[in-house]
Amino acid sequence: MQTVIADGNAVWLRAAKKYIESGEVVAFHTETVYGLGANAFDDGAVLKIFALKGRPADNPLIVHVHREYDISRLIDREPPYAAALRSAFLPGPLTMVYPSAGRVSKHVSCGLDTLAIRVPSSPTAQAFLREVDLPVAAPSANVSKHVSPVTARHVYDDFNGKIPLILDGGACDGGIESTVLDCTGEVPQILREGLVTREMIASVAGDCRLYHAAKGERPKSPGMAYKHYSPRCRTAYCVSAEEARKLYEQERAAEIRISCARTASQASSADARS
Ligand code: AMP
Ligand code: MG
């Protein structure tokens, strides 16, 4: 199979729709990382994602929809705080976990009775999702344990010859995945931290908890049990910009190639200082 990297113009959007309707998998840009998408109603297409990524069969997928998609078709109920959070943060990097109506393929949630839904803000993702007008199940478009892809080229490196199309929207702004928020209880609970923070959620919902699995308990967000991000080089985590600068200078002096990335919270504290 030939893998085409194309921008989201009308011709390629139509091609993407055809691929999705015929059970193929299409990669697409989002504001966090590139996604590997398939029709969430189609068992075979959803299973293809797991096979392509080498993803464990108990690590559920997030369903992506366009901003006008009526999610009440997919979920059983929505607490009032979740409706408020949707208006405040969507489209954007917040995934909301609801009691599922059981309409999408059972492989999407790996047998859980919940469904994770996200409305990405990337114009490429919105154009693609609007064109297909179906819920699209999509994990990050990398082979499991590889670093999440933030350019179309990264996706190509992992899936050249295995998928027909990558919808290129440029480099992703986020670089880290969406916040995963459990909206099945009285109070929202963060299952995976991301770009939308606990404080941001609490400011709208009144309260927000950070979930920690008790020892021996199966985590509520099964993906958190697996190893993530295995870069093929030495890495270090610095808690301040000063510490990072020191390490950077030290490694450069030893003629070691080094690059730095900042998390959103580090960026705000470093910016406040400089
Ligand atoms: P990925 O798309 O690879 O970034 O991973 C999706 C994340 O969402 C994983 O951590 C999953 O465990 C989590 N997730 C997806 N669906 C659900 C769900 N129904 N309940 C809880 N967590 C979920
Ligand atoms: Mg991932």
Side-chain angles (χ1 to χ4, degrees), residues 117-153:
I117 299 182
R118 168 159 141 68
V119 184
S121 64
S122 146
T124 307
Q126 278 295 319
F128 163 62
L129 294 166
R130 202 180 309 263
E131 183 80 20
V132 301
D133 201 23
L134 285 167
V136 170
S140 51
N142 54 289
V143 169
S144 275
K145 299 201 183 97
H146 285 191
V147 178
S148 293
V150 293
T151 65
R153 184 73 217 188

Side-chain angles (χ1 to χ4, degrees), residues 53 55 139-140 142 148 177 192 228:
K53 276 183 68 89
R55 186 175 174 98
S140 51
N142 54 289
S148 293
E177 280 90 346
R192 176 178 78 183
H228 276 87

Side-chain angles (χ1 to χ4, degrees), residues 33 53 55 58-62 64 95 97-98 108-109 112-116 138-140 142 148 177-178 180 191-192 220-224 228:
V33 301
K53 276 183 68 89
R55 186 175 174 98
D58 63 350
N59 188 2
L61 306 178
I62 296 169
H64 293 61
T95 295
V97 176
Y98 289 100
V108 169
S109 294
L112 297 172
D113 57 4
T114 52
L115 182 65
S140 51
N142 54 289
S148 293
E177 280 90 346
S178 59
V180 177
L191 303 180
R192 176 178 78 183
K220 265 192 167 189
S221 189
M224 300 307 285
H228 276 87

Side-chain angles (χ1 to χ4, degrees), residues 5-29:
I5 299 180
D7 66 12
N9 70 37
V11 171
W12 287 108
L13 287 176
R14 273 200 300 278
K17 180 179 168 75
K18 278 216 170 111
Y19 286 132
I20 293 291
E21 286 175 349
S22 62
E24 287 294 345
V25 171
V26 169
F28 61 102
H29 175 270

